[in-house]
Amino acid sequence: MSIHQDIEQVLYTEEELRRRVKELGRQITADYAGREPMLVSVLRGSYIFMADLTRAISLDVTVDFMAVSSYGAGTVSSGQVEIKKDLSDSIEGKDLIVVEDILDSGNTLYYMMDVLRARQPASIRICTLMDKPERRTKPITADYVGFTIPDAFIVGYGLDYAEKYRNLPYVGVLKPSVYDHK
Ligand code: IMP
Ligand code: MG
């Protein structure tokens, strides 16, 4: 059994991801010149993007991690967001960049932004690898977007379905037969 056989179509190859992440890194490097941003990765989906993005930024940066859950094992947001693991450090007075894998309904980030703002960072911006604007139900937009994609369930490069497929080196559309059980 191969993880590749459950993929209907490759959306972004390893090379396309690499090139786009480098561009985002250059843009952040330019925008934050003279500052020391703190990158907050939203686990688990953004771990690979985070690793590549931080290496594409040539500034002093710090990193921290937060885990939230909103999906259970399904493909549609439940709307219920829960902090599973909190940040290790204080963010007060910091220039935060929240690093997400995908902005979908917006539920997760809408809730997280509330939690983070209350801790009084100097600034907060959102950097998401993928954006599905068609599905947005909360008023939230990202400051940095890797790719804007149509409404399809995608996996790979950190993104999962039921905790699997994160290790695919590319981003692909999952065959609906994988999650449509009769
Ligand atoms: P939101 O709260 O609906 O914006 O969903 C955000 C989270 O749902 C993301 O961080 C992902 O973990 C997950 N998610 C949304 N769409 C997809 C997808 O197409 N593939 C994998 N995970 C997704
Ligand atoms: Mg996520």
Side-chain angles (χ1 to χ4, degrees):
M1 286 287 276
S2 157
I3 49 174
H4 302 282
Q5 74 192 22
D6 292 341
I7 302 305
E8 188 167 78
Q9 181 203 345
V10 175
L11 262 192
Y12 299 106
T13 63
E14 246 183 294
E15 176 58 22
E16 287 169 325
L17 290 165
R18 198 183 60 77
R19 220 178 302 130
R20 184 68 187 122
V21 173
K22 288 219 160 145
E23 277 170 15
L24 289 172
R26 272 196 292 273
Q27 202 183 333
I28 289 171
T29 301
D31 292 354
Y32 285 82
R35 287 189 286 168
E36 191 179 296
M38 179 177 181
L39 278 81
V40 168
S41 160
V42 186
L43 294 171
R44 280 168 262 186
S46 72
Y47 78 110
I48 293 177
F49 176 42
M50 176 77 163
D52 287 343
L53 181 67
T54 50
R55 285 180 289 181
I57 298 173
S58 42
L59 296 171
D60 287 327
V61 299
T62 58
V63 299
D64 205 345
F65 301 87
M66 190 166 182
V68 296
S69 78
S70 63
Y71 268 54
T75 60
V76 180
S77 179
S78 63
Q80 302 274 90
V81 183
E82 192 191 339
I83 296 182
K84 296 278 193 182
K85 177 203 174 297
D86 207 338
L87 297 172
S88 299
D89 297 335
S90 164
I91 59 172
E92 197 179 330
K94 303 278 188 186
D95 289 311
L96 285 198
I97 302 175
V98 177
V99 179
E100 247 294 30
D101 54 353
I102 184 163
L103 187 47
D104 188 30
S105 71
N107 276 327
T108 309
L109 278 180
Y110 188 78
Y111 168 82
M112 274 192 65
M113 290 297 272
D114 247 17
V115 170
L116 295 175
R117 259 191 232 105
R119 300 180 189 180
Q120 303 185 316
S123 65
I124 313 187
R125 282 187 183 171
I126 295 171
C127 177
T128 188
L129 178 65
M130 301 285 167
D131 189 7
K132 281 196 234 175
E134 278 171 44
R135 302 208 355 124
R136 201 80 85 254
T137 58
K138 287 288 194 316
I140 190 147
T141 52
D143 303 280
Y144 302 99
V145 175
F147 301 96
T148 300
I149 60 168
D151 180 11
F153 198 80
I154 59 168
V155 293
Y157 195 70
L159 288 128
D160 75 305
Y161 169 66
E163 295 306 326
K164 291 195 287 186
Y165 309 103
R166 296 194 195 275
N167 56 327
L168 286 172
Y170 52 82
V171 167
V173 179
L174 193 61
K175 286 181 180 162
S177 59
V178 176
Y179 52 83
D180 281 345
H181 299 294
K182 306 199 176 73

